[in-house]
């Protein structure tokens, strides 16, 4: 595929105005052809040219081209390739291009993905076009600012449904057991948010406020499509966004499909949203953590209908604004319109921690960053683009006020609907609505990289009152920007085991030292919490007095957000080697069993597992695993039977089990004996139990095949592939590696499962040989795979668990070589960053022994 540059896109947008696409797809080959490998696509593109006689190009990532005509004349195909596209010379002022080509079905989750359901043998298709994969399905000018209207015509088996951005206008027979569906002409939109899904999908319909609603899934997943809850969240989102944005959703229908083998969480195709079935259709018991994550994703994609689809970025420099806005708006809506009223706690503990981690890597970049070409864009769907950007927007709302912010949004939507815009356009409307100058704020927060740390320094007099409260702001030496932070400072008193907020001050912190004069003479609190209510994007520390109180009484905070700030501070100190891994684990195991927010329990248990895997001194880590397993076993026994907390602690025990006794317990649960009252050992938990046993050498191939026989589904096949990859023998790891690096690309679900199972915290020595093999293979894998699986290999196959100087040296030697693509260098360097951080944390932990 062509690696479109920003310079090329700017020139093409200056030259062209695309007035319409007419796209005809013959998808009968998905089930009727012998190999089902390709489909026929005929595209008619109508476009104007401002300079008649000029030349341009159109993206066309086809397998082969049958014919192409421009204004009735044949186009020379001798120079065409999927990598370069098709050159168009001698343009008229008004042009019609017709391209008849054969395109390949995908199994990488890009373009038109094809999958066969092992339950009933049925075939399912769905499109995924972001960032520039529409060209894998039809000839197009594949850039966001060449919007157009689309007419789709699709020939499919007669028992199939087909779903696109607009409703079906009519259907007609198309031969034996076939039909052709003709869709209503769409409004103007970008190529990357057009969509086409087809197959014998199960469908449930509803309506709300004049909008036709649909939810879809594979027929075999129909029992797990809890349409009532999906519709409820969607309707709550529509009501909230309609009220706040002042602009109605502009399409007649809103369909959502839960599809297999999806690479991301979801995709905001206009009126035809695709979600990852594996994340958000629950075949087994889950906790409210999973339900809230699903609600957040539904609302994130719904927010995109306005921000991204109705008004679209001009170029991918403003990708952050699309994603950051949807990220902020989904949590805003969840908090006010759904049952997940503590969504900002989840934002901090899950999403914002992702941003903090990403921002401290060597690849850190400003939120707003120039994107020279499409290859750079594809590795930029990261924690800065999503979570840091959303954090900056959250702070901007606090800075200008919610009402002026919403007024500015309404003006922005009104002025730029159906067009393309930039962040500068949004800032202009926000300044007009708020009366505040925002360019300095934007420059400080969006055009600089890395994260600050706020550290309070207290002087308390003999009378128990503050003589001075300073907030010291720190920045990394390589990124010395000291920003202006609007923060809350909360004073919490310990009363009968409860930490009660006595007072809250809202202050601006700027420069290296800020003296909080308003606290002078105020009675000292047991906990002084900087960034209370989490207004600013910053790492925070607690003073010694506050830290001592929090270690003993973290559960005393009534506010889950206050607890989340303290848990985050402790986690951050561990990653920065300021707090030893064993002390962090001790804090987790003493405070977490009493935690009442399932999102904090889930996030913190994951962090404890990461701590034991990467940051603990290997000599002490077995003790830590045993302590985590013991605490998890006790906590799940004490939890309410059948509750999400019981399930969360059961999962933690499963992942921590290492001893023969604990593995025997897992074996008993799998066999139906010794289970805690109320714990349902259903399909997903069974696979987790089996994977833990396999990873620790307590189960093998026969048990995996027996479990797969019980669960002969797409999910079962994925879990079985993962479990097989975990088998702890040198021969098995070699076989897995051969599949991952062989000449034939694997389906994306299998590729991901094998990568995840290749290495395991309990198998570090077993994967030691793959450090050298990784660096020998990663370049070739990158060059021969689609972008999504190539990125996954670069990240997941990196020798993360080999926390050794040798890993750093091997990475440095590879990075010193010539010819590595920039995006690949970035991902490999990020792996190195993780090992360097882990080495420092392990040294800190060893010192505390």
């Amino acid at each position: 595929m062509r690696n479109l540059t920003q310079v090329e896109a700017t020139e093409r947008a200056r030259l062209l105005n695309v007035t319409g696409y007419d796209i005809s797809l013959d998808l009968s080959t998905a089930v009727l052809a012998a190999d089902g490998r390709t489909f026929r696509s005929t595209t008619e593109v109508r476009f104007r040219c401002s300079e008649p006689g000029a030349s341009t190009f159109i993206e066309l990532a086809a397998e082969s081209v049958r014919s192409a005509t421009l204004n009735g004349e044949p186009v020379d195909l001798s120079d065409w390739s999927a990598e370069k596209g098709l050159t168009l010379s001698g343009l008229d002022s008004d042009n019609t291009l017709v391209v008849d080509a054969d395109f390949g079905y995908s199994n990488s989750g890009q373009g038109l993905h094809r999958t066969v359901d092992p339950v009933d043998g049925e075939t399912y298709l769905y499109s995924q076009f972001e960032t520039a994969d529409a060209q894998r399905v039809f000839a197009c000018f594949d850039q966001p600012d060449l919007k157009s209207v689309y007419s789709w015509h699709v020939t499919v088996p007669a028992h199939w449904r087909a779903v696109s951005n607009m409703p079906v206008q009519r259907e007609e027979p198309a031969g034996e057991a076939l039909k052709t569906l003709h869709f209503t002409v769409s409004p103007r939109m970008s190529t990357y948010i057009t969509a086409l899904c087809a197959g014998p999908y199960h469908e449930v319909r509803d309506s709300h406020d004049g909008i036709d609603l649909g939810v879809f899934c594979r027929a075999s997943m129909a029992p797990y499509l809890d349409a009532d809850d999906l519709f409820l969240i969607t309707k709550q989102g529509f009501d909230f966004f309609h009220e706040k944005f002042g602009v109605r959703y502009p399409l007649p229908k809103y369909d959502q499909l839960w599809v297999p083998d999806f690479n991301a969480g979801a995709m905001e195709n206009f009126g035809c949203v695709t979600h990852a079935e594996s994340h958000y259709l629950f075949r087994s018991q889950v906790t409210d953590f999973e339900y809230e994550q699903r609600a957040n994703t539904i609302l994130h994609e719904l927010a995109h209908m306005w921000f991204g689809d109705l008004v679209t970025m001009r170029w991918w420099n403003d990708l952050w604004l699309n994603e950051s806005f949807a990220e902020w708006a989904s949590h805003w809506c969840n908090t006010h319109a759904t049952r997940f009223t503590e969504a900002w706690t989840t934002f901090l503990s899950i999403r914002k921690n992702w941003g903090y981690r990403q921002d401290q890597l060597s690849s850190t970049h400003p939120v707003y960053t120039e994107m020279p070409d499409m290859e750079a864009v594809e590795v930029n769907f990261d924690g800065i683009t999503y979570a840091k950007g959303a954090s900056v927007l959250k702070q901007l709302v606090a800075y200008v006020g919610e009402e002026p912010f919403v007024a500015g949004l309404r003006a922005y939507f009104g002025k730029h609907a159906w067009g393309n815009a930039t962040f500068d356009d949004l800032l202009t409307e926000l300044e007009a609505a708020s009366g505040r100058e925002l360019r300095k704020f934007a420059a400080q927060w969006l055009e600089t990289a890395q994260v600050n740390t706020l550290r309070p320094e207290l002087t308390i007099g003999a009378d128990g009152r503050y003589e001075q409260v300073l907030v010291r702001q720190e920045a990394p030496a390589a990124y010395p920007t000291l920003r202006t932070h609007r923060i809350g400072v909360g004073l919490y008193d310990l009363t009968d085991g409860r930490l009660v907020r006595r007072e809250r001050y809202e202050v601006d912190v700027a420069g290296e030292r800020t003296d909080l004069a308003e606290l002078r003479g105020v009675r000292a609190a047991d906990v002084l919490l900087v960034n209370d209510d989490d207004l600013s994007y910053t790492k925070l520390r607690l003073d010694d007095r506050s830290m001592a109180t929090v270690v003993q009484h973290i559960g005393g905070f009534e506010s889950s957000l206050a607890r989340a700030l303290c848990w985050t501070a402790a986690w951050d100190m561990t990653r920065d080697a300021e707090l030893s891994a064993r002390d962090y684990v001790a804090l987790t195991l003493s405070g977490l069993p009493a935690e009442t927010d399932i999102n904090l329990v889930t996030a913190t248990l994951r962090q404890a597992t990461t701590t034991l895997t990467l940051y603990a001194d290997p000599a002490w880590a077995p003790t830590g695993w045993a302590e985590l397993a013991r605490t998890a076993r006790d906590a799940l026994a004490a939890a309410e039977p059948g509750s999400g907390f019981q399930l969360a602690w059961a999962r933690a025990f499963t992942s921590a089990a290492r001893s023969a006794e604990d593995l025997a317990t897992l074996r008993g649960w799998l066999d139906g004996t010794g289970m805690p009252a109320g714990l349902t050992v259903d399909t997903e938990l069974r696979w987790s139990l089996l994977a833990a046993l396999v990873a620790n050498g307590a189960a093998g191939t026969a048990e995996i095949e027996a479990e797969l026989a019980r669960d002969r589904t797409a999910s079962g096949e994925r879990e079985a592939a993962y479990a097989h990859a975990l088998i702890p023998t040198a021969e098995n790891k070699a076989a897995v590696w051969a599949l991952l690096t062989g000449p034939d690309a694997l389906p994306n679900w299998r590729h991901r499962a094998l990568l995840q199972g290749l290495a395991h915290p309990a198998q570090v020595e077993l994967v030691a040989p793959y450090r050298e093999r990784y660096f020998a293979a990663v370049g070739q894998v990158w060059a021969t795979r689609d972008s999504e699986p190539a990125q996954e290999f670069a990240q997941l196959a990196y020798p993360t668990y080999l926390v050794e100087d040798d890993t750093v040296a091997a990475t440095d030697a590879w990075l010193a070589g010539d010819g590595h693509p920039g995006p690949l260098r970035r991902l490999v360097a990020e792996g190195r960053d993780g090992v360097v951080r882990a080495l420092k944390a392990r040294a800190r932990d060893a010192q505390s022994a």
Side-chain angles (χ1 to χ4, degrees):
M1 284 173 47
R2 188 184 186 109
N3 180 27
L4 182 70
T5 69
Q6 183 177 2
V7 171
E8 290 173 328
T10 301
E11 171 59 18
R12 192 164 64 172
R14 184 191 67 79
L15 195 65
L16 303 184
N17 175 20
V18 186
T19 58
Y21 286 90
D22 194 276
I23 306 158
S24 297
L25 304 182
D26 181 358
L27 303 181
S28 62
T29 56
V31 291
L32 300 182
D35 62 358
R37 200 178 63 80
T38 62
F39 60 94
R40 188 170 182 177
S41 169
T42 304
T43 313
E44 179 183 288
V45 195
R46 299 175 298 281
F47 60 100
R48 298 192 182 104
C49 175
S50 63
E51 297 178 5
S55 297
T56 189
F57 60 91
I58 190 167
E59 285 88 340
L60 180 58
E63 295 274 318
S64 61
V65 181
R66 295 171 182 245
S67 66
T69 61
L70 177 64
N71 301 325
E73 296 296 323
V75 176
D76 181 8
L77 299 177
S78 61
D79 194 42
W80 165 80
S81 71
E83 291 72 31
K84 290 192 297 185
L86 187 62
T87 300
L88 306 176
S89 302
L91 298 176
D92 293 340
S93 55
D94 286 279
N95 301 273
T96 300
L97 173 71
V98 179
V99 176
D100 186 1
D102 293 313
F103 292 79
Y105 290 112
S106 158
N107 64 6
S108 68
Q110 297 172 254
L112 189 60
H113 181 92
R114 175 180 180 270
T115 190
V116 177
D117 190 333
V119 174
D120 55 16
E122 290 281 12
T123 299
Y124 291 87
L125 309 175
Y126 64 85
S127 64
Q128 170 60 24
F129 293 158
E130 190 176 41
T131 47
D133 285 321
Q135 61 191 277
R136 293 174 181 248
V137 173
F138 59 100
C140 58
F141 300 106
D142 212 354
Q143 64 187 67
D145 60 343
L146 284 176
K147 285 188 166 183
S148 189
V149 301
Y150 301 80
S151 300
W152 290 86
H153 314 272
V154 186
T155 300
V156 294
H159 70 293
W160 278 23
R161 290 183 170 89
V163 188
S164 186
N165 307 95
M166 296 296 285
V168 173
Q169 186 178 54
R170 73 182 195 279
E171 69 174 66
E172 58 193 22
E176 186 177 352
L178 295 175
K179 63 183 177 184
T180 298
L181 303 174
H182 303 273
F183 290 86
T184 306
V185 179
S186 78
R188 279 169 54 84
M189 64 182 75
S190 302
T191 51
Y192 79 92
I193 51 174
T194 61
L196 193 284
C197 306
Y201 281 99
H202 171 72
E203 176 183 14
V204 181
R205 301 216 68 82
D206 201 344
S207 63
H208 182 68
D209 195 15
I211 303 164
D212 191 23
L213 304 178
V215 293
F216 298 78
C217 68
R218 290 183 295 139
S220 64
M221 294 296 287
Y224 313 112
L225 185 76
D226 43 345
D228 289 346
D229 189 58
L230 303 175
F231 281 134
L232 174 63
I233 298 295
T234 303
K235 294 173 183 179
Q236 290 169 331
F238 268 122
D239 289 345
F240 184 81
F241 291 142
H242 277 156
E243 176 195 349
K244 297 299 183 182
F245 296 160
V247 177
R248 274 190 61 80
Y249 171 72
L251 301 189
K253 60 94 176 174
Y254 187 71
D255 288 326
Q256 299 177 84
L257 298 94
W258 279 263
V259 298
D261 310 340
F262 205 68
N263 285 328
M267 177 61 203
E268 67 269 19
N269 311 312
F270 214 167
C272 182
V273 172
T274 44
H275 296 266
E277 166 195 289
S278 59
H279 294 333
Y280 302 125
L281 289 191
F282 307 130
R283 302 193 307 151
S284 301
Q285 179 191 1
V286 295
T287 74
D288 250 11
F289 171 81
E290 282 85 7
Y291 281 110
E292 183 173 336
Q293 293 298 305
R294 183 170 75 180
N296 183 66
T297 299
I298 289 172
L299 297 173
H300 177 109
E301 306 310 326
L302 185 58
H304 268 309
M305 298 302 111
W306 288 265
F307 221 105
D309 292 5
L310 179 65
V311 183
T312 311
M313 63 201 163
R314 186 163 296 150
W315 176 248
W316 299 95
N317 299 342
D318 279 316
L319 167 67
W320 78 271
L321 188 56
N322 272 15
E323 297 302 347
S324 297
F325 181 87
E327 185 86 344
W328 169 79
S330 62
H331 290 86
W332 181 44
C333 180
N334 240 348
T335 300
H336 293 288
T338 77
R339 65 188 177 92
F340 303 109
T341 56
E342 301 298 309
W344 287 122
T345 298
T346 312
F347 176 71
L348 169 59
S349 59
I350 303 295
R351 306 300 280 180
K352 211 168 179 181
N353 269 323
W354 176 33
Y356 290 145
R357 177 190 172 277
Q358 188 81 42
D359 211 7
Q360 295 174 81
L361 295 171
S362 59
S363 59
T364 186
H365 56 85
V367 175
Y368 177 89
T369 187
E370 288 287 328
M371 295 290 171
D373 55 33
M374 294 309 303
E375 287 183 359
V377 177
E378 288 175 346
V379 295
N380 235 50
F381 287 80
D382 61 17
I384 296 172
T385 296
Y386 283 76
K388 182 179 183 179
S391 303
V392 172
L393 288 180
K394 185 171 186 263
Q395 183 160 331
L396 183 58
V397 174
Y399 185 63
V400 303
E402 187 171 303
E403 287 188 18
F405 187 83
V406 169
L409 282 182
R410 291 181 172 194
Y412 173 81
F413 291 138
K415 187 172 291 186
H416 299 286
W418 304 113
N420 297 82
T422 66
F423 180 58
D424 190 69
D425 295 322
L426 177 61
L427 269 190
T428 297
E429 303 307 326
L430 293 178
E431 286 182 328
S434 67
R436 304 193 72 161
E437 192 282 321
L438 299 176
R439 307 290 156 164
K440 291 178 183 175
F441 175 94
Q444 193 178 79
W445 284 98
L446 300 174
E447 297 173 17
T448 61
Q450 258 279 1
V451 59
N452 299 121
T453 302
L454 299 183
R455 196 183 298 270
E457 296 179 357
L458 315 181
T459 305
I460 301 174
D463 60 357
R465 296 180 179 273
Y466 293 123
E467 292 182 350
Q468 187 177 51
V469 177
L470 293 176
V471 177
R472 189 174 297 280
Q473 182 176 186
E474 302 167 357
Y479 298 92
T481 303
L482 297 176
R483 301 174 179 88
T484 299
H485 301 261
R486 185 73 173 173
I487 64 169
V489 178
L491 304 184
Y492 290 82
D493 295 329
L494 184 63
T495 307
D496 298 327
R498 294 168 56 241
L499 283 166
V500 180
R501 187 163 74 184
R502 182 207 324 157
E503 294 174 86
R504 178 183 177 275
Y505 299 82
E506 197 159 303
V507 300
D508 287 325
V509 170
E512 189 176 345
R513 294 167 74 254
T514 301
D515 187 348
L516 304 185
E518 50 267 83
L519 269 71
R520 197 169 295 133
V522 173
R523 177 167 56 84
D526 293 300
V527 175
L528 183 145
L529 189 56
V530 171
N531 201 29
D532 202 11
D533 291 334
D534 194 35
L535 298 183
S536 187
Y537 175 84
T538 178
K539 299 179 359 176
L540 67 95
R541 296 293 183 262
L542 300 171
D543 63 274
D544 291 343
R545 172 188 174 99
S546 298
M547 188 68 173
T549 304
V550 165
V551 166
Q552 296 298 320
H553 301 284
I554 191 168
F557 289 106
E558 290 185 348
S559 162
S560 64
L561 190 52
R563 299 195 302 275
L565 285 162
C566 294
W567 283 119
T568 298
W571 168 238
D572 206 56
M573 291 170 68
T574 306
R575 295 186 74 247
D576 285 351
E578 294 180 28
L579 181 70
S580 72
R582 64 195 68 196
D583 287 344
Y584 176 76
V585 171
L587 172 63
T588 299
L589 301 187
S590 64
L592 204 58
E595 177 55 61
T596 56
D597 186 295
I598 191 64
N599 298 289
L600 287 178
V601 170
T602 304
T604 309
L605 282 171
R606 288 178 179 176
Q607 289 158 1
T609 299
T610 301
T611 298
L612 290 169
T613 301
L614 297 177
Y615 302 148
D617 176 10
W620 177 81
T623 302
W625 285 113
E627 291 177 357
L628 175 57
R630 182 173 63 252
T631 301
R633 190 171 55 228
D634 293 344
L636 79 92
E640 179 184 348
S643 67
F645 292 97
Q646 185 188 46
L647 179 58
W649 284 106
R651 290 169 174 169
F653 175 69
T654 301
S655 67
R658 296 288 187 277
S659 70
E661 178 186 356
D662 289 343
L663 293 172
T665 298
L666 299 187
R667 168 65 74 181
W669 292 0
L670 197 59
D671 294 339
T673 61
M675 293 178 296
L679 182 65
T680 302
V681 181
D682 50 21
T683 308
E684 303 300 343
L685 186 54
R686 287 188 62 84
W687 279 115
S688 296
L689 294 169
L690 180 58
L693 291 168
V694 171
N696 287 280
T701 302
E703 290 96 332
I704 297 169
E705 289 303 310
E707 195 63 33
L708 179 58
R710 294 169 55 114
D711 185 24
R712 188 69 68 177
T713 64
S715 300
E717 289 187 344
R718 184 177 63 246
E719 296 284 2
Y722 169 65
H724 276 302
L726 285 171
I727 292 174
T729 66
E731 296 76 14
N732 183 61
K733 298 301 180 184
V736 170
W737 187 258
L739 287 170
L740 289 169
T741 58
D744 298 322
L746 300 170
N748 62 343
W749 65 267
R750 190 168 188 222
H751 182 261
R752 192 174 303 125
L754 294 182
L755 278 171
Q756 290 168 337
L758 176 68
H760 185 275
Q763 302 173 354
V764 175
E765 292 182 4
L766 201 55
V767 295
Y770 295 93
R771 174 167 50 209
E772 183 178 327
R773 294 174 196 176
Y774 170 84
F775 292 108
V778 67
Q780 179 66 17
V781 171
W782 185 268
T784 57
R785 301 290 193 260
D786 281 347
S787 60
E788 291 279 358
Q791 287 186 57
E792 287 187 341
F793 183 89
Q795 293 172 299
L796 297 179
Y798 183 86
T800 300
Y801 294 158
L802 299 177
V803 182
E804 300 164 357
D805 290 329
D806 286 350
T807 303
V808 178
T811 309
D812 288 342
W814 185 89
L815 290 170
D818 296 327
H820 305 311
L824 175 58
R825 294 179 67 87
R826 167 182 167 166
L827 297 178
V828 173
E830 288 179 355
R832 179 192 188 278
D833 296 338
V835 173
V836 170
R837 182 177 289 273
L839 284 167
K840 292 176 182 176
R842 286 188 176 186
R844 172 70 177 85
D845 192 47
Q847 289 171 6
S848 68

